[in-house]
Amino acid sequence: MTAPMPVRVTVEDAWDEVFLELPDGTPLSELKRQALELTHISRNPSEYLIKYRGAALSDESRSLAQVGFVPNSPLIILAKRRRPVR
């Protein structure tokens, strides 16, 4: 088992940054679920996507190690569909 690595995630809906300590084998779907939960977002996680270094990570079954994640690099979670501004 590998030591946990620091992960910084900004959740766009809350404009809040959360800090997680996760093993590099953690699937992206689990990272997204935890970040949304910590920012009190109750919408379905499938309505959100993860971006790393400007690119959307569409295969959320891949682990942090498989996408080449570097500790403390920023990830962004944002809605897949744009919502109108009121």
Side-chain angles (χ1 to χ4, degrees):
M1 181 168 183
T2 61
M5 68 168 54
V7 180
R8 293 181 350 197
V9 184
T10 300
V11 179
E12 180 196 44
D13 277 5
W15 281 115
D16 199 3
E17 187 172 52
V18 295
F19 298 91
L20 303 168
E21 292 277 331
L22 300 170
D24 63 0
T26 303
L28 295 172
S29 58
E30 177 60 18
L31 175 143
K32 179 169 70 171
R33 185 196 65 74
Q34 287 186 32
L36 291 172
E37 184 178 299
L38 287 170
T39 54
H40 307 287
I41 304 293
S42 59
R43 294 178 61 197
N44 188 336
S46 67
E47 296 178 23
Y48 293 88
L49 61 89
I50 302 171
K51 281 192 159 187
Y52 178 54
R53 294 184 172 171
L57 302 175
S58 58
D59 183 0
E60 293 182 6
S61 65
R62 296 176 65 194
S63 70
L64 291 168
Q66 290 172 321
V67 298
F69 182 77
V70 178
N72 279 318
S73 294
L75 292 165
I76 300 174
I77 296 178
L78 58 142
K80 286 181 180 178
R81 299 185 67 137
R82 297 177 93 189
R83 290 185 294 278
V85 175
R86 294 180 185 214

